[in-house]
Every structure is written in structure tokens, then in C-alpha cells.
Amino acid sequence: MTSIVTLGSHSALQVLKGAKDEGFKTILVSEKKRERLYRRFKFIDEIILVDSFLEIADQKCESILKENDSIIIPHGTLISQMDSLKIESIKTPIFGNKWILRWESDRNMKEQLMREAQLDVPKTVANAKEIKHLVIAKRHGAAGGKGYFLTTSEKDYKKKRDKLIDAGLIKEDSDLYLQEYSFGVSAYLQYFYSPLNDELEFFGADRRYESDIDGLGRIPAAQQLDIDSISSFNVIGNSPLVLRESLLDEVYSMGERFVDAAKRLVAPGMNGPFCLEGVYDENGKFTTFEFSARIVAGTNMYVDGSPYSTFLYDEPMSMGRRIAREIKQAKNSNELEKIVT
Ligand code: AMP
């Protein structure tokens, strides 16, 4: 019997609940400290306890997964805990395209793929000397927004950079990536592309609550000036967002361009869930500052389906369940090799 496996964090509950609903055996690879949490959920059939998530690539874990005919569902924790080489070396089949995860982690490759998809991308600022407008300094990898900061001058940049070095979050300038800040309403657009049906589904949108930048608006400007700490963009949770219907056509076009670009640059392409992340300006124009090439945690709020999945499915369809449905379809039509790497 095929089993669906994921790491115990990020969107594990949604992924495994969806897998169970579609009739799969479910396995969680969990750090020992989280065992008590995950034992609460009856839809998790088996828990493999590890000291570190890196063990998913070890022979011991791999042989258990092989016995269970497992497919791993990758999520943000896999990317933040393992470098690309390590992920690519995993022998257990990974749902989607494991090669594209490198394009998510590497800022330069990421920008290249977004430009290939003809998405509007904020300008990169190559050197702190060139900071003229509002700029966001971001750490590399899936840092989750921790230690990111805003700045408008080289002098202020250096002050904040030094604070991060003192806090041990970064070592040097090259650990930061500078990008022009995009004004407007942030939106995280969730998609699923099925290579089996050659169809793109728009699954939902969300906003992120990031600490402590999202808390600043509650503090009057005069008191803000007295605060001498760096505001971080660390994601704490997500809230739902429904877009103006007139924006949907372009949402689909952007997603399709992204899928086409991924097919050209990184075979077998952007299969499965992904997310385009950016900001709508006053004219409804979207600037994309990021993408995630796998399920995003913003889909966790739509376990019973989203306002958009409801138009596509006559039953509650979470992203986790959609993934399991694709695996079921591929198994039934003997096309598993099309949806895993
Ligand atoms: P990221 O790691 O790129 O997803 O960035 C984390 C957070 O920083 C995002 O969720 C946004 O709130 C913010 N952010 C990143 N890049 C930009 C940008 N170019 N303009 C405005 N906000 C940004």
C-alpha cells in the first residue's frame, strides 16, 4: 500500500489529513520533542521519531520508507533544514519536482525563473552604496523573514547589519540580499498544476502576519521613533484573502507563465502546489518578490476548501487532499513517474 510521508512541521497536519481522506497510509517523520503533539491526531498512522529531520535521507529511514512504498511531500521545513544537494540525494520519491527546490533556495536562480515567466520583479540593489529608495534587506534561504529589515540609506543599513552580526544571525554583507521595497497590499497566490491533466488550478490567496512589522501600526509614530530595535518579518500566521474578481484573469496568466517558464528551465517543471508572493499596487498591478515551489503554509487555513477550490470541486478540497488526489490518479493510470522525482 502506498503511503504518504512528510516532516512534522509547516503543513504536515493538512498534508496527512488530506492523504488519509484519499485512502492512503500516512507516515510522519517527527522530531522527538514534537511526538506528544502529533500523537493527538488519529489520521497519522505511523510516526518515525528522529533527532533531526536530516535523518530522512539516512539509510535507516529510507529503508522504512521503501518498505512502505512511500512518497514524500516536501514543504518549507524540508527546504529550511536541508541544503539543495542533500534534498536532491534523497532516494525516496518526492512529490513534484525536487530539482526546482534549488531554484527556490538560490536568490539568483529564483530571480531568473521569475523573469523567464515575465513576472514583474522588484529591482535588486547590488550594493549598499546604491540604496536610494526604501529597500528590504533579506537573508538567503528560507529564513522565514527573521532578521529582514527596511532601510533607506547606506549608513542606516550598516547600523542594522552590524546589529544582526552581533545577534549571530548573519556573518557579513553577502548574507543579505537587497531588493527595492514594493508598496501596496501583499498577497500570496496559491496554485496547483497537474501534469496529468495539464491544468492549472488557482486554489486560494492569503496574507501573512509577520512579527513584528505587522505590530508596528498599533504604535503611534512618536513612540515608534523611540524604538531602537530592528523590525523583523517573521511569519507568525496567515489570514484569508479574497481577491477582486477582475484580478483573477491575470492571476491565472501569471501562474501559467510560471508553469511554462519552469518547463523550459527546470525539467520536469512546476508540478504540484506552488505560490507566487508579492504586492498589488494602486492599479491592481502585481509585483512578485518571491515564489515557493511547493505547498505553502498559507493553505493551512483552507482545510475545508477555499473560496476558489469550491468553484473547482464539489467537495471540501484542501491543498493536502489535492496532492493526494493527484497521486491516486497517477497510480490508477500508471503514471507515477510523471508526478514524482
Ligand atoms: P520573503 O522571504 O521574500 O518571502 O519575504 C518575507 C516577507 O518580507 C514577505 O512576506 C513580505 O512581507 C516582505 N517582503 C519581501 N520582499 C519584499 C519586497 N520586495 N517588497 C515588500 N515586501 C517584501
Side-chain angles (χ1 to χ4, degrees), residues 72 74 94-98 100 268-273 338-341:
I72 295 175
I94 294 185
F95 181 75
N97 179 1
K98 68 178 172 187
I100 203 170
M270 186 59 265
N271 297 342
K338 274 196 181 169
I339 61 154
V340 298
T341 41

Side-chain angles (χ1 to χ4, degrees), residues 29 123 169 261 304 328:
V29 176
K123 269 204 198 102
L169 284 176
D304 283 329
K328 200 153 102 179

Side-chain angles (χ1 to χ4, degrees), residues 135-152:
V135 157
I136 180 164
K138 312 200 228 186
R139 291 164 63 205
H140 291 283
K146 196 160 189 205
Y148 290 19
F149 62 86
L150 298 179
T151 183
T152 45

Side-chain angles (χ1 to χ4, degrees), residues 16 20 41 68 137 147 179 186 226 266 288:
L16 297 188
K20 194 73 192 165
F41 304 100
N68 281 282
Q179 193 176 58
S186 61
D226 294 335
V266 49
T288 314

Side-chain angles (χ1 to χ4, degrees), residues 122 136 138 148 179-182 188 208 210 233 277 289-290:
I136 180 164
K138 312 200 228 186
Y148 290 19
Q179 193 176 58
E180 275 187 7
Y181 188 83
S182 307
Y188 300 78
R208 290 184 184 164
E210 297 170 326
F233 286 71
E277 307 167 7
F289 51 68
E290 275 281 349

Side-chain angles (χ1 to χ4, degrees), residues 219-229:
I219 301 171
Q223 278 73 48
Q224 283 186 23
L225 292 175
D226 294 335
I227 299 174
D228 186 33
S229 68

Side-chain angles (χ1 to χ4, degrees), residues 18-36:
K20 194 73 192 165
D21 288 344
E22 290 296 303
F24 289 97
K25 177 176 177 184
T26 57
I27 302 180
L28 185 80
V29 176
S30 171
E31 288 175 331
K32 289 177 181 148
K33 63 180 182 198
R34 298 231 178 117
E35 178 182 1
R36 244 169 69 80

